[in-house]
Amino acid sequence: MKLSVRTAVPLTALVLAATACAPGTSDTSGSGKDEKSGTLRVWLFQEVNNAPKKKVVDATVDTFEKAHKGAKVQVEYIPVETRAEKIKAAFNDPKSAPDVIEYGNTDTAGYVKDGGLADVTGEFGKWADAKDTDPTAKESVTVDGKIYGAPYFVGVRALYYRTDVFKDLGLGVPKTQDELAATAKKIHKARPELYGLAVGGAYTYGAMPFLWANGGELAEKKGDSYVSALDSPAAQKGIKAYTSLFGSANCPAAKCAGMGGNDTVTAFASGKAAMAIGGDFSHQAMEDGTVKGKYAVVPLPGVKAGEIAPAFAGGNNIGVLKSTSHRTLAVDLMEQLAGKDAQRALFSGMGFLPTYTDVRADVAREEPFVAPFVKTLGAGAKFVPASPAWAKIDASLVLPTMFQEVVSGRKDVAAASGDAVKKMNDAFGAAG
């Protein structure tokens, strides 16, 4: 089956932009009504090629309407670029708000703080499909132990490598992060026109696996808030591991310090890099590039042989607005839109990785390219702190700034991470 890949919101690629405009204070009282008929409004994200998604959604809506006489569903596909302002307006004006929305999974904590999302803990616990939800995906709809939506799809990154280059140079696939660094340098020395491993100073989600693989954390829970953990010895070891990949021996800082995730994927797809850290959602870009037929994918190795580096679990969720006057119907529609049948169909039509472990295993058997990403998720992906402060930390480029300061030589790891810690803790403190 031929897959198309989400490009409008490539899982986490637009998280930074979208979360930069968190909604403001809203009416958190809810409507107090639970009407069993009428029109439910749904906002979903517009895809570059929206037809396959619309087909799945239309089928789901048709089934829902047949099961709920007197209920109608009106779906609007909203532009990703303006979604933050649109959702902010909806939170502040419940009368014009939809009943159900799609939202980025790092938005959860901020939207909960702003009173926009309904607590669906009870319904989620009784939902048959939910028992097979991936733990990390479930974490992305959880704030302070309560559930505020249903995971819609998930995405992770793994290691893409050029099979022809490895064969020509007689290289084996790296089994540890030390081997990864050594292999990258061997390739660049033998083929100076290639980055051994394309890395980016602004590629936060490509850097996180190095931090986590070395035992570091972004932040730790402290009471009702968080404190940054970037200054711990383990985190600093991970920062050093990632920033050591920059330089004349692999990916020159002058060219690579400013690169983001899309830049590194483009470098690989266009034949300018022998390796890159890319997502399952990067697959179509590789197939459309000059490397088609000349690459393979494996999980990004950890510190020790046999270990898989923890990846960031990106993706989107479906939630019910607290202001809905059709709560029971809205929750049921949420479950239908994000249920197993719909996620199977979304994978077939769009290439979205399902959030259910059993469904993911099924699709991995159907499409071999998915297998390394499923294996990565199975090894234990990780998520950002469930704090409304994360939107500000992301939008303020705290982590990219830290990496770029180290890569450029302006600061050492201790100084750069120390500055990042202060910025993160200021944000956590302000969020409460």
Side-chain angles (χ1 to χ4, degrees), residues 322-343:
K322 194 172 184 178
S323 59
T324 182
S325 60
H326 300 88
R327 182 189 169 97
T328 299
L329 288 174
V331 171
D332 189 38
L333 180 57
M334 173 194 79
E335 293 176 353
Q336 295 298 313
L337 289 168
K340 289 185 178 182
D341 290 343
Q343 289 198 19

Side-chain angles (χ1 to χ4, degrees), residues 195-248:
Y195 301 132
L197 170 66
V199 287
Y203 191 9
T204 302
Y205 298 115
M208 285 179 178
F210 293 84
L211 181 84
W212 289 325
N214 282 278
E217 296 290 346
L218 294 170
E220 295 175 346
K221 198 83 189 305
K222 185 175 182 181
D224 294 331
S225 186
Y226 286 84
V227 292
S228 175
L230 291 180
D231 53 356
S232 73
Q236 296 206 349
K237 187 176 180 181
I239 296 168
K240 288 177 183 176
Y242 185 68
T243 53
S244 71
L245 295 166
F246 294 80
S248 59

Side-chain angles (χ1 to χ4, degrees), residues 109 132 191 210 254 263 294 374 380 383 400 425:
D132 296 314
R191 301 277 183 88
F210 293 84
D263 298 318
K294 298 183 290 187
V374 172
F383 196 58
N425 285 343

